[in-house]
Amino acid sequence: MLAEIANIHPAFLLLAAVVGYYVLPYLKTWRLSDIPSPRFASFTNVWLLVQARQGHRFETVDQLHKKHGKMVRIAPRHISIADDAAINAVYGHGNGFLKADFYDAFVSIRRGLFNTRDRAEHTRKRKTVAHTFSMKSIGQFEQYIHHNIELFVKQWTNLSKTEGNPRTRYATIDALNWFNFLAFDIIGDLAFGAPFGMLEKGQDIAEMRKDPKAAPTYVQAVEVLNRRGEVSAALGAMPSLIPYAKYIPDRFFKDGLEAVENLAGIAVARVNERLRPEVMANNTRVDLLSRLMEGKDASGNTLGREELTAEALTQLIAGSDTTSNTACAILYWVMRTPGVIQKLQKALDTALPGDIDVPTHAMVKDIPYLQWVIWETMRIHSTSAMGLPREIPAGAAPVNIAGHIFYPGDVVSVPSYTIHRSKEIWGPDAEQFVPERWDPSRLTARQKAAFIPFSTGPRACVGRNVAEMELLVMAGTVFRLFEFEMQQDGPMETREGFLRKPLGLIVGMRPRSA
């Protein structure tokens, strides 16, 4: 038998291998063959991996939907459904869908609330973590947000004095960098007991330890987080490649995998510092880590050291560049849309006391136009722009979604970028920044249900309330105290990892005139 195989022409062996690897799996998913797909996406995950590697997956998928309609097959088992009627079917409570193997690429220390795929384990973790984000806890967190925004204001004020143009008084800054410093310092304060010190130093730097007993080294946390998100999103498109990624002759993967380790090392270092006996003995702080340590599952068990670190890492990731990316996008869209900044500043000046620099959440939470600006930014920018994949579990009954029958093993997602810019849902001005669309007298029930910046259902973002508090206070402060001029040409460029990240925003900044 072996001799016979040896005599077969290599071309036939190659053909047989191709048929076995690509064609047979395709035939197994023949039920999906009526759904349009680009090039070889229906045969292999490589197509989706390439789109993720290039950093513009959300745009490619959006263009495919514009060309082919509401359903597009973007991988052999993965169907993107650009239909707001499918949101509840895919992400809602009670459907039993699981997070797909895409999330395996985001595991480092161990599985946390974000990347746990098992339903029972997720329920246990969510019960342990959810109290951390209760309204009572959030109220106690505000002091840390407030303190860091005060330092942010101080640094911007100093910059305008020391680096401002003598004639215009505008200081040229990359606003993204400063929003990154602020967001990381806030989440450091919230999650680990102390800020990273980025605002104070005016630079991106963080301590890292590979294990609690290792000597500290220092890395650029923002860059580490960006690289980690990009490589994980790419490998998540083709999970079978994860064990072999370090051998890929593309620096993107090598640097990305190193970033995964370094990001985990940042969490290890911060938890290690926070749990030092002398720190714990005098600790009176109420922060995310203290709340996580108090949390208990249904059996009364608390989180172990490794699991605690994994969950703290989740909070670091979820609470840093999500906020800074959105803050940067708010500034961009407010600046580029005529009339918006004037309306926003008028609303803030009217609602806030004149002797207050950094308002409390209570002072800003009921300013309608400020809230509309934030919501409209989250709609048009969509920090989480891709469709989050959900798998129909084994043993489940076939399910009808948007008129198509799907079976166990099929993966479905609803692309938020496409939904948030749908003219069918938002009207002919869907591509325009219009805060007034959020006026309750104009907003439709369909639009309200189609707005999913934090996802929806049982796997929605547990930190939504903290994020919204942070953005309200941050935006209320920035536009109340400062004025800006755009100093870069063209649109704000972005690149997608797990999140859609601005690459920079060069503006002139100065304190507002009295």
PDB file of all heavy atoms in Angstrom, residues 227-260:
ATOM      1  N   ARG A 227      -1.412  46.154  20.179  1.00  0.00           N
ATOM      2  CA  ARG A 227      -0.859  44.990  19.476  1.00  0.00           C
ATOM      3  C   ARG A 227      -1.589  43.710  19.882  1.00  0.00           C
ATOM      4  O   ARG A 227      -1.860  42.844  19.043  1.00  0.00           O
ATOM      5  CB  ARG A 227       0.642  44.849  19.761  1.00  0.00           C
ATOM      6  CG  ARG A 227       1.507  45.904  19.105  1.00  0.00           C
ATOM      7  CD  ARG A 227       2.977  45.605  19.324  1.00  0.00           C
ATOM      8  NE  ARG A 227       3.839  46.615  18.760  1.00  0.00           N
ATOM      9  CZ  ARG A 227       4.222  46.673  17.486  1.00  0.00           C
ATOM     10  NH1 ARG A 227       3.789  45.740  16.638  1.00  0.00           N
ATOM     11  NH2 ARG A 227       5.024  47.623  17.063  1.00  0.00           N
ATOM     12  N   ARG A 228      -1.873  43.596  21.163  1.00  0.00           N
ATOM     13  CA  ARG A 228      -2.586  42.413  21.642  1.00  0.00           C
ATOM     14  C   ARG A 228      -3.956  42.300  20.982  1.00  0.00           C
ATOM     15  O   ARG A 228      -4.384  41.226  20.561  1.00  0.00           O
ATOM     16  CB  ARG A 228      -2.716  42.480  23.159  1.00  0.00           C
ATOM     17  CG  ARG A 228      -3.494  41.336  23.775  1.00  0.00           C
ATOM     18  CD  ARG A 228      -4.932  41.707  24.023  1.00  0.00           C
ATOM     19  NE  ARG A 228      -5.645  40.689  24.781  1.00  0.00           N
ATOM     20  CZ  ARG A 228      -6.947  40.705  24.965  1.00  0.00           C
ATOM     21  NH1 ARG A 228      -7.688  41.674  24.457  1.00  0.00           N
ATOM     22  NH2 ARG A 228      -7.539  39.767  25.681  1.00  0.00           N
ATOM     23  N   GLY A 229      -4.681  43.409  20.888  1.00  0.00           N
ATOM     24  CA  GLY A 229      -6.004  43.386  20.276  1.00  0.00           C
ATOM     25  C   GLY A 229      -5.953  43.016  18.811  1.00  0.00           C
ATOM     26  O   GLY A 229      -6.801  42.262  18.314  1.00  0.00           O
ATOM     27  N   GLU A 230      -4.945  43.509  18.105  1.00  0.00           N
ATOM     28  CA  GLU A 230      -4.832  43.229  16.676  1.00  0.00           C
ATOM     29  C   GLU A 230      -4.501  41.764  16.413  1.00  0.00           C
ATOM     30  O   GLU A 230      -5.122  41.122  15.570  1.00  0.00           O
ATOM     31  CB  GLU A 230      -3.777  44.139  16.059  1.00  0.00           C
ATOM     32  CG  GLU A 230      -4.196  45.600  15.995  1.00  0.00           C
ATOM     33  CD  GLU A 230      -3.083  46.504  15.514  1.00  0.00           C
ATOM     34  OE1 GLU A 230      -1.999  45.969  15.154  1.00  0.00           O
ATOM     35  OE2 GLU A 230      -3.268  47.738  15.494  1.00  0.00           O
ATOM     36  N   VAL A 231      -3.520  41.217  17.130  1.00  0.00           N
ATOM     37  CA  VAL A 231      -3.137  39.837  16.873  1.00  0.00           C
ATOM     38  C   VAL A 231      -4.223  38.874  17.312  1.00  0.00           C
ATOM     39  O   VAL A 231      -4.484  37.854  16.653  1.00  0.00           O
ATOM     40  CB  VAL A 231      -1.784  39.495  17.536  1.00  0.00           C
ATOM     41  CG1 VAL A 231      -1.926  39.258  19.037  1.00  0.00           C
ATOM     42  CG2 VAL A 231      -1.152  38.268  16.870  1.00  0.00           C
ATOM     43  N   SER A 232      -4.900  39.171  18.419  1.00  0.00           N
ATOM     44  CA  SER A 232      -5.950  38.286  18.904  1.00  0.00           C
ATOM     45  C   SER A 232      -7.144  38.287  17.953  1.00  0.00           C
ATOM     46  O   SER A 232      -7.751  37.243  17.695  1.00  0.00           O
ATOM     47  CB  SER A 232      -6.390  38.687  20.316  1.00  0.00           C
ATOM     48  OG  SER A 232      -5.332  38.518  21.238  1.00  0.00           O
ATOM     49  N   ALA A 233      -7.493  39.464  17.424  1.00  0.00           N
ATOM     50  CA  ALA A 233      -8.600  39.536  16.473  1.00  0.00           C
ATOM     51  C   ALA A 233      -8.272  38.775  15.188  1.00  0.00           C
ATOM     52  O   ALA A 233      -9.143  38.133  14.587  1.00  0.00           O
ATOM     53  CB  ALA A 233      -8.926  40.990  16.155  1.00  0.00           C
ATOM     54  N   ALA A 234      -7.001  38.842  14.770  1.00  0.00           N
ATOM     55  CA  ALA A 234      -6.601  38.114  13.566  1.00  0.00           C
ATOM     56  C   ALA A 234      -6.623  36.605  13.799  1.00  0.00           C
ATOM     57  O   ALA A 234      -7.204  35.844  13.016  1.00  0.00           O
ATOM     58  CB  ALA A 234      -5.218  38.567  13.120  1.00  0.00           C
ATOM     59  N   LEU A 235      -6.009  36.155  14.880  1.00  0.00           N
ATOM     60  CA  LEU A 235      -5.977  34.717  15.170  1.00  0.00           C
ATOM     61  C   LEU A 235      -7.372  34.189  15.512  1.00  0.00           C
ATOM     62  O   LEU A 235      -7.678  33.028  15.237  1.00  0.00           O
ATOM     63  CB  LEU A 235      -5.014  34.438  16.311  1.00  0.00           C
ATOM     64  CG  LEU A 235      -3.535  34.650  15.987  1.00  0.00           C
ATOM     65  CD1 LEU A 235      -2.673  34.490  17.235  1.00  0.00           C
ATOM     66  CD2 LEU A 235      -3.071  33.676  14.899  1.00  0.00           C
ATOM     67  N   GLY A 236      -8.215  35.050  16.085  1.00  0.00           N
ATOM     68  CA  GLY A 236      -9.581  34.632  16.364  1.00  0.00           C
ATOM     69  C   GLY A 236     -10.355  34.310  15.108  1.00  0.00           C
ATOM     70  O   GLY A 236     -11.314  33.522  15.146  1.00  0.00           O
ATOM     71  N   ALA A 237      -9.949  34.896  13.977  1.00  0.00           N
ATOM     72  CA  ALA A 237     -10.600  34.592  12.708  1.00  0.00           C
ATOM     73  C   ALA A 237     -10.241  33.202  12.204  1.00  0.00           C
ATOM     74  O   ALA A 237     -10.959  32.619  11.387  1.00  0.00           O
ATOM     75  CB  ALA A 237     -10.218  35.639  11.661  1.00  0.00           C
ATOM     76  N   MET A 238      -9.136  32.656  12.688  1.00  0.00           N
ATOM     77  CA  MET A 238      -8.703  31.316  12.288  1.00  0.00           C
ATOM     78  C   MET A 238      -8.089  30.621  13.497  1.00  0.00           C
ATOM     79  O   MET A 238      -6.874  30.466  13.602  1.00  0.00           O
ATOM     80  CB  MET A 238      -7.696  31.392  11.143  1.00  0.00           C
ATOM     81  CG  MET A 238      -7.435  30.063  10.459  1.00  0.00           C
ATOM     82  SD  MET A 238      -6.456  30.286   8.949  1.00  0.00           S
ATOM     83  CE  MET A 238      -6.350  28.581   8.390  1.00  0.00           C
ATOM     84  N   PRO A 239      -8.906  30.199  14.466  1.00  0.00           N
ATOM     85  CA  PRO A 239      -8.395  29.672  15.736  1.00  0.00           C
ATOM     86  C   PRO A 239      -7.472  28.471  15.604  1.00  0.00           C
ATOM     87  O   PRO A 239      -6.617  28.257  16.464  1.00  0.00           O
ATOM     88  CB  PRO A 239      -9.679  29.305  16.493  1.00  0.00           C
ATOM     89  CG  PRO A 239     -10.741  30.162  15.887  1.00  0.00           C
ATOM     90  CD  PRO A 239     -10.379  30.273  14.453  1.00  0.00           C
ATOM     91  N   SER A 240      -7.620  27.692  14.533  1.00  0.00           N
ATOM     92  CA  SER A 240      -6.759  26.528  14.356  1.00  0.00           C
ATOM     93  C   SER A 240      -5.294  26.930  14.216  1.00  0.00           C
ATOM     94  O   SER A 240      -4.384  26.112  14.398  1.00  0.00           O
ATOM     95  CB  SER A 240      -7.192  25.724  13.125  1.00  0.00           C
ATOM     96  OG  SER A 240      -7.096  26.510  11.946  1.00  0.00           O
ATOM     97  N   LEU A 241      -5.047  28.191  13.928  1.00  0.00           N
ATOM     98  CA  LEU A 241      -3.683  28.680  13.724  1.00  0.00           C
ATOM     99  C   LEU A 241      -3.004  29.083  15.033  1.00  0.00           C
ATOM    100  O   LEU A 241      -1.789  29.265  15.068  1.00  0.00           O
ATOM    101  CB  LEU A 241      -3.726  29.883  12.771  1.00  0.00           C
ATOM    102  CG  LEU A 241      -2.440  30.301  12.057  1.00  0.00           C
ATOM    103  CD1 LEU A 241      -1.915  29.182  11.187  1.00  0.00           C
ATOM    104  CD2 LEU A 241      -2.711  31.558  11.226  1.00  0.00           C
ATOM    105  N   ILE A 242      -3.764  29.212  16.104  1.00  0.00           N
ATOM    106  CA  ILE A 242      -3.236  29.747  17.358  1.00  0.00           C
ATOM    107  C   ILE A 242      -1.987  28.995  17.841  1.00  0.00           C
ATOM    108  O   ILE A 242      -0.980  29.626  18.185  1.00  0.00           O
ATOM    109  CB  ILE A 242      -4.328  29.762  18.449  1.00  0.00           C
ATOM    110  CG1 ILE A 242      -5.431  30.754  18.069  1.00  0.00           C
ATOM    111  CG2 ILE A 242      -3.737  30.122  19.812  1.00  0.00           C
ATOM    112  CD1 ILE A 242      -6.638  30.724  18.991  1.00  0.00           C
ATOM    113  N   PRO A 243      -1.979  27.651  17.880  1.00  0.00           N
ATOM    114  CA  PRO A 243      -0.786  26.955  18.398  1.00  0.00           C
ATOM    115  C   PRO A 243       0.459  27.163  17.539  1.00  0.00           C
ATOM    116  O   PRO A 243       1.575  26.937  18.006  1.00  0.00           O
ATOM    117  CB  PRO A 243      -1.207  25.479  18.389  1.00  0.00           C
ATOM    118  CG  PRO A 243      -2.698  25.495  18.350  1.00  0.00           C
ATOM    119  CD  PRO A 243      -3.054  26.695  17.543  1.00  0.00           C
ATOM    120  N   TYR A 244       0.284  27.578  16.284  1.00  0.00           N
ATOM    121  CA  TYR A 244       1.410  27.680  15.358  1.00  0.00           C
ATOM    122  C   TYR A 244       1.768  29.131  15.025  1.00  0.00           C
ATOM    123  O   TYR A 244       2.663  29.380  14.218  1.00  0.00           O
ATOM    124  CB  TYR A 244       1.075  26.933  14.059  1.00  0.00           C
ATOM    125  CG  TYR A 244       0.466  25.566  14.298  1.00  0.00           C
ATOM    126  CD1 TYR A 244      -0.898  25.364  14.128  1.00  0.00           C
ATOM    127  CD2 TYR A 244       1.251  24.507  14.746  1.00  0.00           C
ATOM    128  CE1 TYR A 244      -1.470  24.120  14.382  1.00  0.00           C
ATOM    129  CE2 TYR A 244       0.687  23.261  15.006  1.00  0.00           C
ATOM    130  CZ  TYR A 244      -0.670  23.079  14.824  1.00  0.00           C
ATOM    131  OH  TYR A 244      -1.236  21.853  15.082  1.00  0.00           O
ATOM    132  N   ALA A 245       1.077  30.080  15.653  1.00  0.00           N
ATOM    133  CA  ALA A 245       1.238  31.482  15.266  1.00  0.00           C
ATOM    134  C   ALA A 245       2.668  31.985  15.446  1.00  0.00           C
ATOM    135  O   ALA A 245       3.138  32.830  14.686  1.00  0.00           O
ATOM    136  CB  ALA A 245       0.273  32.348  16.067  1.00  0.00           C
ATOM    137  N   LYS A 246       3.374  31.468  16.459  1.00  0.00           N
ATOM    138  CA  LYS A 246       4.737  31.955  16.713  1.00  0.00           C
ATOM    139  C   LYS A 246       5.708  31.583  15.594  1.00  0.00           C
ATOM    140  O   LYS A 246       6.807  32.143  15.511  1.00  0.00           O
ATOM    141  CB  LYS A 246       5.243  31.417  18.042  1.00  0.00           C
ATOM    142  CG  LYS A 246       5.329  29.896  18.127  1.00  0.00           C
ATOM    143  CD  LYS A 246       5.754  29.462  19.524  1.00  0.00           C
ATOM    144  CE  LYS A 246       5.790  27.939  19.662  1.00  0.00           C
ATOM    145  NZ  LYS A 246       6.172  27.538  21.036  1.00  0.00           N
ATOM    146  N   TYR A 247       5.303  30.643  14.727  1.00  0.00           N
ATOM    147  CA  TYR A 247       6.184  30.229  13.636  1.00  0.00           C
ATOM    148  C   TYR A 247       5.883  30.989  12.336  1.00  0.00           C
ATOM    149  O   TYR A 247       6.590  30.796  11.342  1.00  0.00           O
ATOM    150  CB  TYR A 247       6.031  28.727  13.376  1.00  0.00           C
ATOM    151  CG  TYR A 247       6.306  27.878  14.598  1.00  0.00           C
ATOM    152  CD1 TYR A 247       5.282  27.166  15.220  1.00  0.00           C
ATOM    153  CD2 TYR A 247       7.583  27.793  15.151  1.00  0.00           C
ATOM    154  CE1 TYR A 247       5.524  26.389  16.350  1.00  0.00           C
ATOM    155  CE2 TYR A 247       7.832  27.030  16.285  1.00  0.00           C
ATOM    156  CZ  TYR A 247       6.805  26.324  16.875  1.00  0.00           C
ATOM    157  OH  TYR A 247       7.040  25.561  17.993  1.00  0.00           O
ATOM    158  N   ILE A 248       4.867  31.812  12.333  1.00  0.00           N
ATOM    159  CA  ILE A 248       4.501  32.537  11.118  1.00  0.00           C
ATOM    160  C   ILE A 248       5.561  33.605  10.815  1.00  0.00           C
ATOM    161  O   ILE A 248       5.901  34.412  11.688  1.00  0.00           O
ATOM    162  CB  ILE A 248       3.121  33.206  11.269  1.00  0.00           C
ATOM    163  CG1 ILE A 248       2.042  32.140  11.507  1.00  0.00           C
ATOM    164  CG2 ILE A 248       2.772  34.028  10.030  1.00  0.00           C
ATOM    165  CD1 ILE A 248       0.670  32.718  11.798  1.00  0.00           C
ATOM    166  N   PRO A 249       6.111  33.630   9.609  1.00  0.00           N
ATOM    167  CA  PRO A 249       7.168  34.599   9.272  1.00  0.00           C
ATOM    168  C   PRO A 249       6.599  35.983   8.972  1.00  0.00           C
ATOM    169  O   PRO A 249       6.781  36.538   7.896  1.00  0.00           O
ATOM    170  CB  PRO A 249       7.822  33.966   8.036  1.00  0.00           C
ATOM    171  CG  PRO A 249       6.714  33.202   7.390  1.00  0.00           C
ATOM    172  CD  PRO A 249       5.874  32.668   8.517  1.00  0.00           C
ATOM    173  N   ASP A 250       5.897  36.525   9.937  1.00  0.00           N
ATOM    174  CA  ASP A 250       5.306  37.858   9.822  1.00  0.00           C
ATOM    175  C   ASP A 250       5.465  38.507  11.192  1.00  0.00           C
ATOM    176  O   ASP A 250       4.928  38.021  12.193  1.00  0.00           O
ATOM    177  CB  ASP A 250       3.820  37.736   9.456  1.00  0.00           C
ATOM    178  CG  ASP A 250       3.125  39.092   9.340  1.00  0.00           C
ATOM    179  OD1 ASP A 250       3.714  40.119   9.749  1.00  0.00           O
ATOM    180  OD2 ASP A 250       1.990  39.137   8.831  1.00  0.00           O
ATOM    181  N   ARG A 251       6.199  39.588  11.263  1.00  0.00           N
ATOM    182  CA  ARG A 251       6.521  40.231  12.536  1.00  0.00           C
ATOM    183  C   ARG A 251       5.262  40.603  13.333  1.00  0.00           C
ATOM    184  O   ARG A 251       5.289  40.683  14.555  1.00  0.00           O
ATOM    185  CB  ARG A 251       7.345  41.491  12.254  1.00  0.00           C
ATOM    186  CG  ARG A 251       7.893  42.177  13.496  1.00  0.00           C
ATOM    187  CD  ARG A 251       9.111  41.458  14.016  1.00  0.00           C
ATOM    188  NE  ARG A 251       9.510  41.958  15.307  1.00  0.00           N
ATOM    189  CZ  ARG A 251      10.764  41.919  15.752  1.00  0.00           C
ATOM    190  NH1 ARG A 251      11.715  41.407  14.991  1.00  0.00           N
ATOM    191  NH2 ARG A 251      11.068  42.376  16.944  1.00  0.00           N
ATOM    192  N   PHE A 252       4.184  40.829  12.611  1.00  0.00           N
ATOM    193  CA  PHE A 252       2.903  41.163  13.246  1.00  0.00           C
ATOM    194  C   PHE A 252       2.535  40.135  14.312  1.00  0.00           C
ATOM    195  O   PHE A 252       2.100  40.492  15.416  1.00  0.00           O
ATOM    196  CB  PHE A 252       1.818  41.218  12.159  1.00  0.00           C
ATOM    197  CG  PHE A 252       0.407  41.306  12.672  1.00  0.00           C
ATOM    198  CD1 PHE A 252      -0.153  42.537  12.978  1.00  0.00           C
ATOM    199  CD2 PHE A 252      -0.360  40.163  12.817  1.00  0.00           C
ATOM    200  CE1 PHE A 252      -1.471  42.616  13.438  1.00  0.00           C
ATOM    201  CE2 PHE A 252      -1.674  40.227  13.278  1.00  0.00           C
ATOM    202  CZ  PHE A 252      -2.223  41.468  13.586  1.00  0.00           C
ATOM    203  N   PHE A 253       2.708  38.854  14.005  1.00  0.00           N
ATOM    204  CA  PHE A 253       2.315  37.801  14.936  1.00  0.00           C
ATOM    205  C   PHE A 253       3.310  37.679  16.095  1.00  0.00           C
ATOM    206  O   PHE A 253       2.912  37.514  17.246  1.00  0.00           O
ATOM    207  CB  PHE A 253       2.165  36.474  14.195  1.00  0.00           C
ATOM    208  CG  PHE A 253       0.999  36.463  13.245  1.00  0.00           C
ATOM    209  CD1 PHE A 253       1.181  36.736  11.905  1.00  0.00           C
ATOM    210  CD2 PHE A 253      -0.282  36.208  13.700  1.00  0.00           C
ATOM    211  CE1 PHE A 253       0.105  36.740  11.021  1.00  0.00           C
ATOM    212  CE2 PHE A 253      -1.367  36.218  12.839  1.00  0.00           C
ATOM    213  CZ  PHE A 253      -1.167  36.485  11.490  1.00  0.00           C
ATOM    214  N   LYS A 254       4.587  37.766  15.797  1.00  0.00           N
ATOM    215  CA  LYS A 254       5.610  37.682  16.847  1.00  0.00           C
ATOM    216  C   LYS A 254       5.441  38.814  17.857  1.00  0.00           C
ATOM    217  O   LYS A 254       5.414  38.596  19.074  1.00  0.00           O
ATOM    218  CB  LYS A 254       7.006  37.714  16.238  1.00  0.00           C
ATOM    219  CG  LYS A 254       8.148  37.602  17.254  1.00  0.00           C
ATOM    220  CD  LYS A 254       9.495  37.621  16.554  1.00  0.00           C
ATOM    221  CE  LYS A 254      10.634  37.423  17.544  1.00  0.00           C
ATOM    222  NZ  LYS A 254      10.721  38.536  18.516  1.00  0.00           N
ATOM    223  N   ASP A 255       5.298  40.034  17.343  1.00  0.00           N
ATOM    224  CA  ASP A 255       5.136  41.185  18.231  1.00  0.00           C
ATOM    225  C   ASP A 255       3.810  41.114  18.990  1.00  0.00           C
ATOM    226  O   ASP A 255       3.724  41.489  20.162  1.00  0.00           O
ATOM    227  CB  ASP A 255       5.199  42.487  17.425  1.00  0.00           C
ATOM    228  CG  ASP A 255       6.591  42.762  16.875  1.00  0.00           C
ATOM    229  OD1 ASP A 255       7.555  42.128  17.358  1.00  0.00           O
ATOM    230  OD2 ASP A 255       6.718  43.601  15.966  1.00  0.00           O
ATOM    231  N   GLY A 256       2.786  40.621  18.312  1.00  0.00           N
ATOM    232  CA  GLY A 256       1.481  40.516  18.945  1.00  0.00           C
ATOM    233  C   GLY A 256       1.457  39.512  20.075  1.00  0.00           C
ATOM    234  O   GLY A 256       0.889  39.771  21.148  1.00  0.00           O
ATOM    235  N   LEU A 257       2.078  38.368  19.872  1.00  0.00           N
ATOM    236  CA  LEU A 257       2.117  37.348  20.923  1.00  0.00           C
ATOM    237  C   LEU A 257       2.949  37.813  22.114  1.00  0.00           C
ATOM    238  O   LEU A 257       2.632  37.511  23.266  1.00  0.00           O
ATOM    239  CB  LEU A 257       2.678  36.039  20.352  1.00  0.00           C
ATOM    240  CG  LEU A 257       1.787  35.341  19.324  1.00  0.00           C
ATOM    241  CD1 LEU A 257       2.517  34.153  18.699  1.00  0.00           C
ATOM    242  CD2 LEU A 257       0.473  34.894  19.942  1.00  0.00           C
ATOM    243  N   GLU A 258       4.005  38.566  21.842  1.00  0.00           N
ATOM    244  CA  GLU A 258       4.789  39.148  22.934  1.00  0.00           C
ATOM    245  C   GLU A 258       3.939  40.159  23.709  1.00  0.00           C
ATOM    246  O   GLU A 258       4.011  40.240  24.944  1.00  0.00           O
ATOM    247  CB  GLU A 258       6.034  39.843  22.377  1.00  0.00           C
ATOM    248  CG  GLU A 258       6.929  40.445  23.452  1.00  0.00           C
ATOM    249  CD  GLU A 258       8.168  41.106  22.879  1.00  0.00           C
ATOM    250  OE1 GLU A 258       8.392  41.019  21.657  1.00  0.00           O
ATOM    251  OE2 GLU A 258       8.913  41.744  23.658  1.00  0.00           O
ATOM    252  N   ALA A 259       3.097  40.900  22.980  1.00  0.00           N
ATOM    253  CA  ALA A 259       2.213  41.867  23.632  1.00  0.00           C
ATOM    254  C   ALA A 259       1.194  41.168  24.521  1.00  0.00           C
ATOM    255  O   ALA A 259       0.832  41.686  25.589  1.00  0.00           O
ATOM    256  CB  ALA A 259       1.502  42.718  22.577  1.00  0.00           C
ATOM    257  N   VAL A 260       0.702  40.010  24.101  1.00  0.00           N
ATOM    258  CA  VAL A 260      -0.238  39.236  24.926  1.00  0.00           C
ATOM    259  C   VAL A 260       0.403  38.919  26.278  1.00  0.00           C
ATOM    260  O   VAL A 260      -0.213  39.086  27.342  1.00  0.00           O
ATOM    261  CB  VAL A 260      -0.664  37.940  24.212  1.00  0.00           C
ATOM    262  CG1 VAL A 260      -1.463  37.035  25.154  1.00  0.00           C
ATOM    263  CG2 VAL A 260      -1.502  38.258  22.974  1.00  0.00           C
TER     264      VAL A 260
END
